[in-house]
Amino acid sequence: MKRAIVFAGGGSKGSYEFGAWSALRDLGQSFDIATGTSIGSINAGFYVQDDYEAAKEMWSTLSVDKIFATPVKLERSITALADQMDLIRPFLKSYINKKGADITPFIENLNGYANEDKFFSSEVDFGLVAVAFPSLIPIEVTKSQIKRGYFAKWIQASCACFPVFPTCEIDGKSYIDGGYYDNLPIATAFRLGAEEVVAIDLNTVSAHEAYAVNPFVKLIKPSRDLGAFMDFDREKLDANIRLGYNDTMKAFGKYYGNVYTFMGSPETLSQIDRLSRDFTYQLTKAETYTLKEKQRLFQRNAVNAPCTRRLTEYSGKASPEMRDFLIAAIEITAKQLLYPDDLLYSFESVFQRLRLDAYPIKKELEAGLAEGITAFASLRRDRTKEKEHRLIELKRSENDYEEIIAAVLLNELFKMVDTDLN
C-alpha cells in the first residue's frame, strides 16, 4: 500500500511540520510519496532526499536574514514595523525595483539544501503545486516532470508568495505560490497513487476540512494558532516545532489532550478512567444543584447541562467519552491558573501541581460546591491579578461554568489522594 505525507504552505509556520515529521520518525512512520505547497514543498523535498538532519539544521538556524537581503521583520504590529524604519526604506526600494522583496539569501539557501543526486535517486515520489502568472492557471509538478537542474527552481516557484516574494521565472514563464490554488495538496498525493495519506496543515481551520473525516486521510492540524507566516522569531519557531511534535503524537494516540499535552503509563490511564467516571458523575450532580449564592448561573432548567455542554464544546467531539470530559476539565482548570500550554505534562505531574496550587482552598472544596466555587474564583483572581486583560476574552457565564468545572475537578483530585492513602 502506497502511503503519502503531505505538507501545507505557510511560510515560517512550516516549523510545525518539521516537529510533526520528527514525531512521525519516532513513531516509525514511513512514506512512498511526499507532496507540498510553498514551504511545504521544501519540507517535502527534504523528505524525498531523506535529509532529516539537513531539515533540522535549517529549522534550528532559520532567521529573517536567511530569507531577505534586507531583513525586515514582517510582523502584524504596526508599532513593530515603525521601529524598523531604517530597514524598511531600503527594503521598499529593493521591493519596487525587483517587484517583490530581495530574496537572494533564500534562493542561495534553497540551492544549498536541494540535493539533486539524493532527490532523483530516492524511491520516494514527489509533487508540488504552483500557479502560472499572470494567467493564474494552477500547475502540478511531479518528480517525473522535473529536469535535472530545475529541482530548486520549481520549489522556488511554489514558494513565490507574491507580492511579498517576486514571481519566479522558469524558461521564460512566471510562477507564483501554489497556495493561491491548493495550500494542502492531498489530491496531488492521491493522483500520484497514494492509498493512505498523512497530511500536516498549518491552520487551526484546515484548508480541506472534508478530508478530516475521510477514512484514507489522517489530518494533523495545529491545536492553536501558529502566528504570522513571516514571523521568524526563534522562540516562536521552536514553540511551533514542539507543538507539531505533540499534536502528531496526539493524532496517533500516544499523547493526550487538546491544547495542552499529556502522557501517561497504562497504570495511570487505568486510574484516569476511574477518575473520569467519578468526576463526570459529580459534575452531573453539580449541574442539578441550585446555588443560592450563584443563582444567576442556573436561570434555565438544569437539563441544559451548561458544564457538560462546555466540556463537549472544548473537547471538539460530537460524542465525547468520560475521559474526554476529564481531560477537557484538566485543561480548562490549567488555563484558568495560567499553566503554560506548550509543555509536555505527565498526568501525575499535572495532578500534583493542581493539588499543590489548590491546597489553600482544600477545606472550602470539601465543605460544599458553593464554598468550593467561591474559593476557586478567589484563587483564580489572585493568580491572574497581573494579567486581568486575559480574562476579558471570557464571557461571564462561560467563566462561571468553568469555575464549577474546576471546583469539582479539584475536589475529586483531593479525594483520589485520600482514597489512595486509605
Side-chain angles (χ1 to χ4, degrees), residues 93-159:
K93 183 177 179 180
S94 172
Y95 186 94
I96 292 169
N97 292 337
K98 293 179 176 290
K99 297 181 180 180
D102 185 346
I103 58 168
T104 301
F106 168 75
I107 295 171
E108 290 175 350
N109 279 294
L110 178 59
N111 287 331
Y113 283 118
N115 187 319
E116 291 201 340
D117 288 338
K118 289 184 177 181
F119 176 76
F120 286 110
S121 63
S122 171
E123 294 183 359
V124 179
D125 208 349
F126 174 82
L128 61 75
V129 177
V131 174
F133 187 82
S135 67
L136 301 184
I137 296 173
I139 64 164
E140 196 174 73
V141 181
T142 62
K143 189 176 184 179
S144 63
Q145 298 170 317
I146 298 174
K147 292 185 269 185
R148 281 196 171 269
Y150 282 77
F151 174 40
K153 200 68 176 174
W154 276 117
I155 289 181
Q156 182 187 336
S158 185
C159 291

Side-chain angles (χ1 to χ4, degrees), residues 255-257 261-265 268-269 271-272 323 326-327 330 345-355 413 416:
Y255 291 166
Y256 306 90
T261 306
F262 308 104
M263 62 182 297
S265 65
T268 301
L269 293 177
Q271 187 180 45
I272 290 291
R323 184 190 286 183
L326 177 66
I327 291 173
I330 295 168
Y345 298 90
S346 68
F347 281 114
E348 295 92 335
S349 68
V350 78
F351 289 166
Q352 183 177 12
R353 182 170 177 177
L354 285 169
R355 283 191 292 259
L413 289 179
M416 184 172 70

Side-chain angles (χ1 to χ4, degrees), residues 259-260 310 314 329-341 354 380 384 390-391 393-394 398 402:
V259 175
Y260 288 81
R310 177 68 187 116
Y314 189 95
I330 295 168
E331 294 198 24
I332 285 171
T333 306
K335 180 182 177 184
Q336 291 190 84
L337 297 177
L338 303 185
Y339 292 5
D341 62 9
L354 285 169
R380 177 183 58 77
T384 60
R390 293 187 60 170
L391 303 179
E393 300 173 2
L394 294 174
E398 178 182 288
E402 293 188 349

Side-chain angles (χ1 to χ4, degrees), residues 212-232:
V213 294
N214 189 298
F216 299 105
V217 177
K218 181 177 286 293
L219 184 62
I220 299 167
K221 60 182 181 179
S223 53
R224 66 168 181 271
D225 184 72
L226 298 178
F229 84 109
M230 284 291 168
D231 185 353
F232 294 95

Side-chain angles (χ1 to χ4, degrees), residues 43 96 195 227 232 269 291 302 304 322 387 401:
N43 284 330
I96 292 169
E195 299 166 80
F232 294 95
L269 293 177
L291 301 173
N304 285 312
M322 285 189 284
K387 300 186 178 182
Y401 300 148

Side-chain angles (χ1 to χ4, degrees), residues 276-316:
S276 298
R277 185 186 184 285
D278 293 342
F279 164 76
T280 305
Y281 177 68
Q282 293 300 327
L283 188 68
T284 301
K285 288 176 64 178
E287 289 181 309
T288 64
Y289 178 61
T290 302
L291 301 173
K292 293 180 181 179
E293 294 86 344
K294 289 207 166 194
Q295 184 67 42
R296 59 192 167 82
L297 292 182
F298 298 98
Q299 294 173 355
R300 292 182 292 178
N301 192 292
V303 296
N304 285 312
C307 298
T308 302
R309 283 190 287 110
R310 177 68 187 116
L311 292 175
T312 301
E313 176 188 81
Y314 189 95
S315 75

